[in-house]
Amino acid sequence: MNGETRKLLEHVVEIASEFLDGLPERPVGPSATAEQLHAALGGELPQEGSSDLEVIDELAAAVEPGLMGTTSGRFFGFVIGGALPSTIAADWLTSVWDQNSGLYAAAPAEAVVEDVAAAWLLELLGLPPGCAVGFVTGAQMANFTGLAVARHHVLESAGWDVEAHGLQGAPKIRVVAGEERHATIDRALRFLGLGRDTLELVPADDQGRLSIDALPGVLGYDDGPLIVCTQAGNVNTGSFDPVGEICDIVHERGGWVHVDGAFGLWAAVSEELRHLVTGVERADSWGTDAHKWLNVPYDCGIVISAHPETHAAALGVRASYLIHSGMERDAMSWVPEFSRRARGFTVYTAIKALGRIGITAMVERCCKHARTFAVSLGSLPDVEILNDVVLNQVLVRFIAADDAASDARTKAIVEAVQSDGTCWLSGSTWKGKGVMRISVSNWSTSDEDVEMSVEAITRIAASI
Ligand SMILES: *Cc1c(COP(=O)(O)O)cnc(C)c1O
């Protein structure tokens, strides 16, 4: 490495440290408007280059007011995890090493790290050893990939090779899901040529759980190709479909059960939460995220299936996965991508740095913080907690004269909290009602972070 490159990287360490050190004081949300960011970052296409150091300095300065403090312990928006220090380091090295992770031949160490991390993940999540595991961008692509494997399997059972013939002329596939499934399921069905209108919906209960009593009625007596999409961790309430019971019913008919467990699958690491995922290991495929609750930097989702041969047949490039012995993983056999970032390094690092005990503690700590939010905010006058806080999600509604006024007051409080900057959380809608949604998914959130955030929300709610 020449001296210039070393200087550049050392300078970046300075910028990164300053950002991380500043997080506790910095407003959690961004302060710049889109216009201001365009003004700071835009301009003519550069004709001549500039010095690396200058470009990086200017980039860091220009984006700072537009950065969301997602790695702050007081960020509770959407369901977004932070980034463990060990995984930031591993992620930096991932860029430095710049491995192309499609093929063993191009990235042998990453392939082995993925194999090791995959086995550890299965053990952590309580899923059968020997499942196929692929590292994708996020749960959207994990759901897409899991459902691509499902599509292959159910059509193969009906005597149709979808990889050869596509869907034109194929037997019809029925796809069933709960009313409160995540939007990424509908999107995956669009990408798979099945279309979102294919979905047959099962009513959900007040917490968003697929109603097991209504499932047989929706399924009827037809025994054709069937895929049922279940959910472990509703994005609003954190609730779980009864996946084990669903598997019993669906497998009886030769159907495939997919689980969207973007964050909820991680309940399996905790003795006190494990009951929520009872029977989840009997499903056929699962999608989850490492960039949410495992707190690795973006991006990393994980697709898992219990049928490795079907999985490789649906995704793989035939010639390549046949060449090697079992020790040489070609990652592209398990994911839609060909060339891809080496996502195994951060996952491997997070699991080693925290250990099983540390991961369990992190998940349980987030859930404890969520309960504190629910108890503290729920005790305020004119505040209702709309969900059973079984996991890390809390739905808060601020009550006014009628429903419309409550919606408006809740929205105004969410916006005021966002611009106050002490913490950041998002609004959502639950069963037609506007809510403030608090998601505790960050490794670093402390009791003081929760206390400060409750104090800010309480102060703002009193004024609106
Ligand atoms: C976040 C989430 C997704 C989408 O995950 P990405 O990582 O954003 O692709 C899917 N399902 C559920 C339940 C989620 O919470």
Side-chain angles (χ1 to χ4, degrees):
M1 177 168 63
N2 66 31
E4 290 294 299
T5 307
R6 176 180 291 275
K7 256 209 319 240
L8 179 67
L9 296 184
E10 282 171 357
H11 187 59
V12 166
V13 171
E14 285 304 310
I15 298 176
S17 308
E18 238 172 75
F19 177 74
L20 293 174
D21 288 345
L23 274 179
E25 308 306 325
R26 178 188 189 276
V28 178
S31 55
T33 63
E35 286 76 21
Q36 289 166 338
L37 290 168
H38 272 289
L41 289 155
E44 302 286 314
L45 167 71
Q47 298 297 326
E48 283 176 26
S50 310
S51 96
D52 295 349
L53 210 67
E54 249 174 60
V55 173
I56 291 297
D57 260 342
E58 285 172 16
L59 173 72
V63 300
E64 157 59 32
L67 293 176
M68 181 65 93
T70 38
T71 54
S72 158
R74 277 177 270 116
F75 182 85
F76 307 108
F78 311 102
V79 185
I80 289 184
L84 293 157
S86 61
T87 65
I88 296 174
D91 195 55
W92 285 12
L93 288 173
T94 301
S95 292
V96 170
W97 294 332
D98 196 25
Q99 300 291 288
N100 179 319
S101 310
L103 293 172
Y104 179 86
E110 160 69 5
V112 171
V113 162
E114 281 192 18
D115 267 337
V116 174
W120 288 348
L121 282 167
L122 294 176
E123 199 177 331
L124 279 168
L125 298 174
L127 300 179
C131 281
V133 179
F135 296 87
V136 290
T137 46
Q140 167 71 78
M141 286 309 290
N143 287 334
F144 166 83
T145 309
L147 292 172
V149 182
R151 182 182 69 165
H152 183 98
H153 175 88
V154 299
L155 286 178
E156 187 181 45
S157 304
W160 185 266
D161 181 349
V162 67
E163 309 316 324
H165 310 304
L167 287 173
Q168 303 197 61
K172 184 174 164 53
I173 302 176
R174 294 183 64 194
V175 187
V176 173
E179 216 168 36
E180 294 292 347
R181 76 217 169 273
H182 194 267
T184 51
I185 295 296
D186 302 50
R187 218 155 158 249
L189 294 174
R190 281 164 49 200
F191 301 162
L192 286 163
L194 294 167
R196 62 171 176 254
D197 289 351
T198 302
L199 263 181
E200 297 175 60
L201 297 182
V202 183
D205 67 10
D206 62 332
Q207 299 300 312
R209 292 173 292 225
L210 180 152
S211 152
I212 194 73
D213 295 337
L215 180 62
V218 172
L219 293 178
Y221 295 101
D222 173 32
D223 61 357
L226 171 68
I227 299 169
V228 176
C229 304
T230 65
Q231 180 165 256
N234 176 282
V235 73
N236 281 309
T237 63
S239 73
F240 292 71
D241 289 347
V243 179
E245 289 173 79
I246 295 170
C247 287
D248 293 340
I249 295 172
V250 175
H251 286 159
E252 181 97 343
R253 293 161 178 266
W256 180 285
V257 177
H258 174 76
V259 183
D260 174 4
F263 58 101
L265 218 49
W266 293 85
V269 302
S270 157
E271 199 80 56
E272 65 186 62
L273 301 168
R274 198 167 297 147
H275 66 97
L276 295 167
V277 289
T278 302
V280 83
E281 71 285 353
R282 300 208 294 279
D284 299 286
S285 59
W286 303 263
T288 191
D289 271 319
H291 59 217
K292 285 182 177 170
W293 231 344
L294 190 59
N295 277 260
V296 310
Y298 282 97
D299 49 29
C300 188
I302 299 157
V303 58
I304 303 168
S305 89
H307 308 272
E309 279 181 29
T310 315
H311 195 136
L315 275 300
V317 176
R318 228 153 256 270
S320 105
Y321 75 85
L322 291 176
I323 300 173
H324 304 310
S325 68
M327 298 298 281
E328 298 175 353
R329 171 192 178 90
D330 280 340
M332 70 177 185
S333 298
W334 315 113
V335 298
E337 296 99 328
F338 207 90
S339 298
R340 140 179 110 63
R341 183 172 181 78
R343 300 196 180 96
F345 293 134
T346 52
V347 173
Y348 177 91
T349 300
I351 297 174
K352 261 196 122 163
L354 292 174
R356 183 201 277 278
I357 293 169
I359 294 172
T360 302
M362 174 171 70
V363 166
E364 290 181 349
R365 190 166 66 239
C366 288
C367 295
K368 184 198 79 174
H369 290 323
R371 291 193 297 270
T372 305
F373 269 115
V375 169
S376 308
L377 296 176
S379 70
L380 298 177
D382 302 326
V383 170
E384 230 183 285
I385 305 298
L386 294 196
N387 65 319
D388 298 342
V389 181
V390 294
L391 203 67
N392 62 329
Q393 305 289 109
V394 187
L395 300 180
V396 190
R397 183 163 165 87
F398 297 88
I399 306 300
D402 57 25
D403 266 356
S406 301
D407 282 347
R409 178 165 181 243
T410 302
K411 183 164 182 283
I413 292 172
V414 167
E415 286 170 2
V417 170
Q418 287 175 350
S419 55
D420 168 77
T422 306
C423 62
W424 203 95
L425 33 71
S426 30
S428 184
T429 306
W430 180 245
K431 302 276 182 194
K433 292 178 172 177
V435 291
M436 167 187 282
R437 184 175 66 193
I438 299 172
S439 173
V440 191
S441 322
N442 189 299
W443 68 279
S444 72
T445 301
S446 65
D447 291 347
E448 296 74 52
D449 285 325
V450 175
E451 214 171 286
M452 277 176 72
S453 303
V454 166
E455 191 279 322
I457 298 168
T458 305
R459 163 170 52 77
I460 288 161
S463 72
I464 294 180

